[in-house]
Amino acid sequence: MANPVILVVDDDQGVLSAVERDLRPKFGHDYRIVKAASGAAALDLVAKLQQRNEAIALFLTDQRMPNMTGLEFLEQAIQAFPEAKRVLLTAYADTEAAIASINKLQLDYYLLKPWDPPEDHLYPVLTDLLDDWRSNVRLPFEGIRVAGTLWSPGSHDVKDFLARHQIAYQWLDVDADEKARALVETSADGSLKLPVLFFPDGSTLVAPEIHALAEKLGIQTTASMPFYDVVIIGAGPAGLSAAVYGASSGLQCLVIEKQVPGGQAGNSPRIENYLGFPTGIAGMDLTRRAVTQARRFGAEIISTQCVTGIRTQDMYRVITLDNGMEIVSKAVLLATGAAFRKLEVPGIDQFLGAGVFYGAAYTEAAYYKDEPVFVVGGANSAGQGALFLSRFASKVTMLIRREVQQSSHYLREAEAANPKIERRFNVEIVEIHGKPGRLDDIVIQDIATGEKTTLPGAAMFVFIGAIPQNDIVKELVLLDPKGFVLTGHDLMKDGKPPREWPLERDPFMLETSVPGIFAAGDVRLGTNHRVASATGEGGIAIAAIESYLKTL
Ligand SMILES: Cc1cc2nc3c(=O)[nH]c(=O)nc-3n(C[C@H](O)[C@H](O)[C@H](O)COP(=O)(O)OP(=O)(O)OC[C@H]3O[C@@H](n4cnc5c(N)ncnc54)[C@H](O)[C@@H]3O)c2cc1C
C-alpha cells in the first residue's frame, strides 16, 4: 500500500521547498511528502486521500497564510484524519495563537521558523510524533470498501458477488459508523444511494448493477468469438466440469453464467461428501478451483450474462443473451441447475436480502453474531446452513415442515450434538415482524394442532428445496411434469424416441428432445442433486457431445 502522507502546507514556495528538502532525506523512505500552497488546495488533497483510503500521518502547516490560516485549515482537516499529528509552523509573533490552540485543536507542536539545523530542531520532534502515530494508528484497508446498510438488498448482492469471486472487501455500515455515512454523502453528491463502492484507485461506484461491477473489476463479461464448438449455459459444478473436459479434449468451449460461477455449490458452506476431500471443502473453494482448471485448459467463462433463448438454425444452435447479443455453436449444454424455492409468508418480500436470505449464509452470517437466527428447512442444505450459522449466532432454530428430516445421517447427528441448534418439527411460519435488515420475531404454527408460538430472532436463512431453471428451454425441449428436462433414455417410450424427435438415430445419453442440445446436473430429470452427480454428468455430456459432433 502507499506510504502514509506528511502533508506540508505553506503559501511561501521558498519555505515549502525548504521543508521538503529537509524532510525527504530523513522521512522520505517511510512517508510520502506531499505539498500544498494554500489551505484550500490542502483540503482538496485531504478529501482525495480520504476517498482513496490513504493515511495522513502528520500535518505540518504554516500559520500565516492568506484566505485560510494554518489553524483554520487544521480545524477542517482533522475531521477527516483525526489521528494525524498536527504541527504548526509559526513566527515568533504567532506563538500566542499557537498556545491557545493546543487545547482547542489538540495541537501536538508548534515549530518556530527557522528550524535550522533540522537535526536539532525538526527531526527529533517529528520522529517522536510519527513514532507515536505509528504505534496507535490502524492503517487503512487497502482493498475495495463497500459502504451500505444491512437492510439494503443491493448491499447484500454486491457483498455476495465480491465474496463469490473471492475479492476481499471492507464493509462499512453507514447506520453504525458516522464517518462512513459522511464519506458516502460526500461521494454520492449528498444523496444516500447505497451501496457505494470505493476502489483503491480513488474511483467510486454508486449502487452499481452487478454487470457494471463485474466490468469494473475486469471480470470477463463478453464472449471473445462469435462461434464455438460448445456453449455451456450455467457455471455450477455440471457446467464447470463440462468446461474442464470439453476444453481439455480440444473443443472450443464458452461457459455463460448469469450470476457468479459456482452455482448452488458455491452457496454450500461445506461439502462433506465430495470424493477426495476427507474433511470437506467449502463449495466456493471447490468451484473456484474448477474455474481456474477450466480456464487453464482454454475454456472461456463469462459472468453476469443471462441466456434468454436458444434456437436451432440448420446444424447450428443460436444462443441469445439478455443484452440482445447472439452466439452460435455446434452444440449446447444446458447446465442451468435449480433455483431456491421461495418461502410464502405474508409481507416476506420487504425482507428479501435484508433479514431473509436464500441460502446466503456465507456473506451474512457474521453480521448476526451473538443473535438468534432461524433456518427454514430440514434437508442437507439446511443442516449445513444451521451448522455454519451456529459458529456466529447465539442460537439457531431450524423450522422443519415435516415430522421427520430427510437428510444425511451425519448431518442429523451433528445438528443434534450442537448445543446452539434447536429443531422444531411439523411447523410453518405464518408471520414475520421487524423492519428491513433486522427481524424482531416470527410466529410459527404447529401444523397438527394449529397452536401459534412467537419466537424472537434477527434473521432467517431459507433452504426449502429447489426448482429446475428451465425458462430458456421450456417451449423448446420436452420436460417432465415438474419441469425437469428429459434426456436420453428418459425420452424413450416402448423403446422408441418421442414424436418430436426428428432423426433416425436415438438420442445420445443426456441429449434432450432437440438434437445437439444436451442437459446435465440439477436441471435434468434423473440426477440425484449432488455435486458429484453434476460433475459426473458434465463429463459424460462432453463425451456424448463429441459423439454428436462426429455426426455433423
Ligand atoms: C446450500 C446448499 C448446500 C449443498 N450442499 C451439498 C453437499 O454438501 N453435497 C452435495 O453433493 N450437494 C450439495 N448441494 C447440492 C449441489 O450444490 C447441487 O446439486 C449442484 O450445485 C448442482 O449443480 P448444477 O451445475 O447442476 O447446477 P447449479 O449449481 O444450480 O448451477 C447452475 C448455474 O446456472 C446458472 N444459470 C441458470 N440459468 C441461467 C441462464 N439462463 N443463463 C446463464 N446462467 C444461468 C445459475 O446462475 C447457476 O450458477 C447443496 C446445495 C445447496 C443450495
Side-chain angles (χ1 to χ4, degrees), residues 182-235:
L183 190 60
V184 164
E185 280 169 351
T186 49
S187 15
D189 298 332
S191 67
L192 206 58
K193 261 193 174 173
L194 295 172
V196 180
L197 282 83
F198 300 91
F199 294 88
D201 64 0
S203 61
T204 53
L205 277 181
V206 180
E209 295 280 331
I210 289 299
H211 184 70
L213 176 58
E215 290 200 328
K216 167 79 188 168
L217 294 169
I219 292 165
Q220 188 179 353
T221 58
T222 47
S224 68
M225 302 190 297
F227 184 81
Y228 291 83
D229 293 324
V230 191
V231 166
I232 298 162
I233 308 171

Side-chain angles (χ1 to χ4, degrees), residues 127-167:
T127 303
D128 205 31
L129 288 175
L130 290 169
D131 285 352
D132 193 35
W133 177 82
R134 280 237 179 235
S135 58
N136 288 307
V137 80
R138 265 183 61 215
L139 284 174
F141 179 73
E142 289 177 50
I144 301 168
R145 290 166 300 149
V146 181
T149 59
L150 280 181
W151 51 262
S152 124
S155 303
H156 165 67
D157 291 347
V158 163
K159 284 187 288 173
D160 195 45
F161 182 83
L162 294 173
R164 302 260 311 244
H165 273 106
Q166 319 267 320
I167 296 171

Side-chain angles (χ1 to χ4, degrees), residues 6-10 16 19 23 58-62 73-74 85-89 111 122 126:
I6 295 177
L7 181 56
V8 187
V9 193
D10 203 311
L16 210 50
V19 179
L23 291 184
L58 187 135
F59 295 113
L60 178 57
T61 174
D62 187 29
F73 159 72
L74 281 177
K85 297 292 173 190
R86 303 124 201 214
V87 178
L88 201 64
L89 276 176
L111 264 178
L122 187 67
L126 297 195

Side-chain angles (χ1 to χ4, degrees), residues 234 237-238 257-258 263-265 273 307 337-338 381 384 521-522 529-531:
E257 168 55 50
K258 70 174 173 184
Q264 296 168 77
N273 54 359
V307 174
S381 54
Q384 286 177 355
D522 276 11
H529 303 280
R530 291 276 186 277
V531 175

Side-chain angles (χ1 to χ4, degrees), residues 230-240 242 254-256 307-310 319 331-338 468-474 476-479 483-487 510-514 516-525 534 537-538 541-542 545:
V230 191
V231 166
I232 298 162
I233 308 171
L240 290 172
L254 172 71
V255 185
I256 306 173
V307 174
T308 51
I310 309 172
I319 293 100
V332 169
L333 176 64
L334 191 70
T336 48
Q469 300 214 67
N470 61 17
D471 284 3
I472 49 178
V473 290
K474 62 182 180 218
L476 186 66
V477 304
L478 293 178
L479 309 173
F484 290 97
V485 175
L486 295 171
T487 55
L510 303 188
E511 195 170 22
T512 68
S513 56
V514 175
I517 301 182
F518 293 74
D522 276 11
V523 72
R524 195 185 72 81
L525 178 73
E537 289 179 22
I542 289 298
I545 286 171

